[in-house]
Amino acid sequence: MMRGCSSRAKQNQDRAVCMTNCPTLIVTVGLPARGKTYISKKLTRYLNWIGVPTREFNVGQYRREFVKIYKSFEFFRPDNEEGLKIRRQCASAALNDVRQYLTEEGGQVAVFDATNTTRERRETIIQFAEQNGFKVFFVESVCEDPDVIQENIVQVKLGSPDYTNCNTEEAVEDFMKRIKCYENSYETLDEVLDRDLSYIKIMDVGQRYLVNRVLDHIQSRIVYYLMNIHITPRSIYLCRHGESELNVKGRIGGDSGLTPRGKEFAKKLSQFIQAQSISDLKVWTSQMKRTIQTAEALSVPYEQWKVLNEIDAGVCEEMMYEEIQDHYPLEFALRDQDKYRYRYPKGESYEDLVQRLEPVIMELERQENVLVICHQAVMRCLLAYFLDKTAEELPYLKCPLHTVLKLTPVAYGCKVESISLNVDAVNTHRERPENVNIHRTTEDALQTVPAHL
Amino acid sequence: MRGSCHPKNTRDRAVCMTNCPTLIVTVGLPARGKTYISKKLTRYLNWIGVPTKEFNVGQYRRECLKIYKSFEFFRPDNEEGLKIRRECATSALNDVRQYLSVEGGQVAVFDATNTTRERRGTIVKFAEQNGFKVFFVESVCEDPDVIAQNIVQVKLGSPDYLHCNSDEAIEDFMKRIKCYESSYQPLDEVLDRDLSYIKIMDVGRRYLVNRVVDHIQSRIVYYLMNIHITPRSIYLCRHGESDLNIKGRIGGDSGLSARGKEFAKHLRKFIQEQNIKDLKVWTSQMKRTIQTAECLGVPYEQWKSLNEIDAGVCEEMMYEEIQEHYPLEFALRDQDKYRYRYPKGESYEDLVQRLEPVIMELERQENVLVVCHQAVMRCLLAYFLDKTANELPYLNCPLHTVLKLTPVAYGCKVESVYLGVDSVNTHRDRPENVNVQRSTEDALQTVPAHF
């Protein structure tokens, strides 16, 4: 849980005062194809999801914008003066943008994604951070397993803009030579020489970690997260409970059981899961009847999580939207104005939901194949994490009943397959209406309410 | 922490299933904080609901040997001593097996030096035979100040040194450490690469983590990486008396009564007098704690997870009304107050789960004042004072009283400071009769007085 306030650093000659909530600069370290960008993007996605404004700055991107056409590994040769000059300029440009983001644009964390393989380069960055009052945390990835490196190249390098005009063999050969350019000058983070730095060294894709001088809460959370992610191929299946009695009545929340169609869905879900032939599938539900009843039909062990319970609508529990408009027109409008942060009286907001779902996400990262049977608002939050959706988009993500989303991590993101199990259900998705003004008419307020009995 | 299934025995190697028990094994020279870590970790795991027990081999040795003479017992050439120490370790492991396989334990912490690869090999075999996962926790430290402080804090008061003066005790203990040093084989990055472990270096400055295999190990690592031994105090108190408190109503989100505001002023004075360095102040997101903190005139942070337990359908009711409308629920709650969940509300068990991040952050922090609520304060207090789930819901946390908790040796010193402002009593003891058929009179027997 990230809590508000960030106080900005005061400029004091060449060294800004670093206060408790001063911004953090995460700096990746490692040879090419060691997963730095994968880690940067994933970490950025996670931090943004839990509410910490974070952005990544990939120096390779800056280089591509500058150099326009990538010719070959020769650009990266340590004796290529022109290349070195350009690369230094790109790093500086990126750091300038980092400063802008953290000091003026309200960013809390910046991830500086580059090889940063020499102590000299890292020292430059540390000085930059000191001048600006940023804390620095290094994330080094060390790996010598040729299979892992090969897989990395296949997954993310072959498709890189650098290699659009090469065939696979040419690309792999060039990239291996590119790695070689860095190897001679690589100075790994050293237990003695770098003992005063804050860092985590990730070895062999997470088999082993060295953690040095974790200073604060955010660094502690980052370390915990990085120690829980893995790259073993797997899929996460997300779906809602089968259609419930309150669903068909157009009522939100509550703890009702499945309708006949909902039970039909549960059977189809069981067939679907069996057909998928998933190795060691874990099944998770909430502690509400409708998800439990759905899981029961699968005839496999499942685990109930209270934190997977649907968003608590407080005083609006079990109401129809028409009733909410009738009894709480002001609240109804306020919710439409800021659906992510709006908290039902005596209830929760999507923002609260994300906070309580964080342990679920952490455990999903640890696990392999998992089926999560949950609820509309909960599923939107989980989906937003995997698909990197913003707080604005999250509450309007489409998560229809009787549809399974299969998420498979690929390259730097997530492949999504949407599978409708062909059992009819009411639509429970309410779009943001045009008129969110608190003085709007009932008709305007109820414009987007889906049909129900 | 969910469920637990126990391993099936097949010949000499039990199948280790997802939820099979975990054996945590400490490693390190004397005075490196192994027992401190063992006890703290055990306390944390039990609080979050993972049945855990520590097995301190030194204790077994004290029971076997009765009288400790000197460090000579620990000399590597003392055959008699070695024999006894091996027997004690075996005896402790037997009890570990009993606890994990028969008594429903989920985690056992085997607290001993375990400084040789040979000894650790024996333990790994023992675990394999019984279907336990093994996780090593090694503490490495060469800072003489830290070691000296350790000896002063926990060794001088040890039963071993009751009849010595400080200098004698320290001298003997330093020789005891020497006995282990020559045979010490720290966990090695290469030789022990297949083991699961965390190596804690220099009291948490640096960590090496190898092969974390499951959820519980991941949580243990996270916890160990967040604790520290910097001296500090944690202040716990409730909000000032609220309007609903006076009316004998539970829950809700009311403001402070006049006396509650008076308390807030006294709290401000108390805090100033304590002269606490860099005090952090935390509140819930409910009016009564916020109003209390506002009075302190210092920045404070609001945590939703510090909100009072949600009493669901019983929110804002008096106990008399709960008895009238939900007599069955009222009795069920008295039968198992820790696990009982108000309809559409929460249980103490739920509360502990949502407070876990607060505890984790309290561990990271130094001086903190937490202004919270009765049930919440009971949960936090239970963590610091190692109270069981049965005791927790009945801990006394009266209004207008600050509890100052200061870690000392292996536990926590508690100072209770009443700030001299009257308030209602909101503590309802467990009544004698918890039967669902009980009379109203019996049900309301322990309800505290109110308007």
Side-chain angles (χ1 to χ4, degrees), chain A residues 426-439:
Chain A
V426 294
N427 169 28
T428 59
H429 186 91
R430 182 177 161 269
E431 289 288 358
R432 189 180 197 263
E434 269 185 60
N435 191 348
V436 300
N437 193 288
I438 58 180
H439 301 295

Side-chain angles (χ1 to χ4, degrees), chain B residues 304-317:
Chain B
K304 185 173 193 269
S305 8
L306 282 173
N307 280 6
E308 181 58 315
I309 192 172
D310 184 353
V313 299
C314 298
E315 275 285 316
E316 300 196 41
M317 285 189 171

Side-chain angles (χ1 to χ4, degrees), chain B residues 190-258:
Chain B
V190 178
L191 295 173
D192 299 305
R193 63 183 171 282
D194 289 333
L195 299 181
S196 296
Y197 66 84
I198 178 171
K199 187 191 283 255
I200 304 168
M201 296 168 273
D202 296 322
V203 204
R205 185 147 288 172
R206 198 158 82 249
Y207 304 90
L208 188 70
V209 179
N210 199 63
R211 290 194 189 260
V212 167
V213 300
D214 62 13
H215 177 89
I216 187 73
Q217 290 181 17
S218 166
R219 292 287 287 280
I220 287 165
V221 163
Y222 184 40
Y223 181 72
L224 292 178
M225 289 176 62
N226 280 314
I227 62 180
H228 66 77
I229 58 168
T230 308
R232 51 80 174 253
S233 288
I234 294 166
Y235 299 79
L236 300 181
C237 72
R238 292 166 65 188
H239 52 80
E241 184 190 65
S242 75
D243 288 324
L244 284 177
N245 283 147
I246 294 178
K247 295 178 182 148
R249 295 183 175 281
I250 66 172
D253 192 14
S254 58
L256 299 181
S257 65

Side-chain angles (χ1 to χ4, degrees), chain B residues 32-50:
Chain B
R32 263 55 176 184
K34 298 184 301 298
T35 300
Y36 175 80
I37 287 168
S38 298
K39 286 182 180 286
K40 212 169 155 70
L41 188 55
T42 299
R43 177 161 58 86
Y44 168 71
L45 291 173
N46 277 311
W47 185 75
I48 61 172
V50 180

Side-chain angles (χ1 to χ4, degrees), chain A residues 113-175:
Chain A
D113 177 20
T115 47
N116 298 316
T117 39
T118 63
R119 193 156 280 112
E120 185 201 355
R121 168 57 60 86
R122 297 194 291 265
E123 190 48 48
T124 308
I125 299 169
I126 291 168
Q127 267 164 34
F128 160 84
E130 265 175 23
Q131 280 162 14
N132 290 285
F134 306 151
K135 284 183 182 166
V136 185
F137 189 76
F138 292 96
V139 177
E140 180 175 24
S141 175
V142 175
C143 180
E144 290 314 316
D145 184 336
D147 292 331
V148 173
I149 295 164
Q150 181 73 9
E151 185 58 32
N152 185 317
I153 295 175
V154 166
Q155 279 243 357
V156 299
K157 304 300 181 191
L158 297 186
S160 154
D162 291 344
Y163 295 112
T164 28
N165 297 319
C166 300
N167 67 42
T168 305
E169 272 122 33
E170 287 167 349
V172 173
E173 195 187 328
D174 184 86
F175 199 81

Side-chain angles (χ1 to χ4, degrees), chain A residues 1 3 20 191 195 199 203 206-217 220-221 223-224 227-228 282 284 287 303-307 309 312 317-318 343 346-349 352 355 363 366-367, chain B residues 2 18 189 193 197 201 204-215 218-219 221-222 225-226 280 282 285 301-305 307 310 315-316 341 344-346 350 353 357-358 361 364-365:
Chain A
M1 70 288 70
R3 287 103 44 209
T20 322
E191 276 190 46
R195 64 184 171 281
Y199 66 84
M203 295 168 273
Q207 196 120 287
R208 198 159 81 252
Y209 306 90
L210 188 70
V211 180
N212 198 63
R213 289 194 188 260
V214 168
L215 295 177
D216 61 14
H217 178 87
S220 165
R221 293 288 287 279
V223 163
Y224 184 39
M227 289 176 61
N228 280 315
K282 298 268 166 71
W284 297 351
Q287 284 184 358
E303 225 177 289
Q304 298 178 17
W305 294 62
K306 185 175 194 267
V307 296
N309 281 5
D312 184 353
E317 275 285 315
E318 299 195 42
R343 193 186 276 170
K346 301 197 177 176
E348 294 177 300
S349 62
D352 296 328
Q355 188 178 339
E363 191 56 20
R366 288 201 56 78
Q367 291 290 341
Chain B
R2 291 95 52 201
T18 323
E189 274 190 46
R193 63 183 171 282
Y197 66 84
M201 296 168 273
R205 185 147 288 172
R206 198 158 82 249
Y207 304 90
L208 188 70
V209 179
N210 199 63
R211 290 194 189 260
V212 167
V213 300
D214 62 13
H215 177 89
S218 166
R219 292 287 287 280
V221 163
Y222 184 40
M225 289 176 62
N226 280 314
K280 298 268 168 72
W282 297 352
Q285 285 184 357
E301 225 176 291
Q302 298 178 17
W303 294 62
K304 185 173 193 269
S305 8
N307 280 6
D310 184 353
E315 275 285 316
E316 300 196 41
R341 193 185 276 171
K344 302 197 175 176
E346 296 176 300
D350 295 328
Q353 189 177 344
V358 176
E361 192 55 22
R364 287 199 56 77
Q365 292 290 341

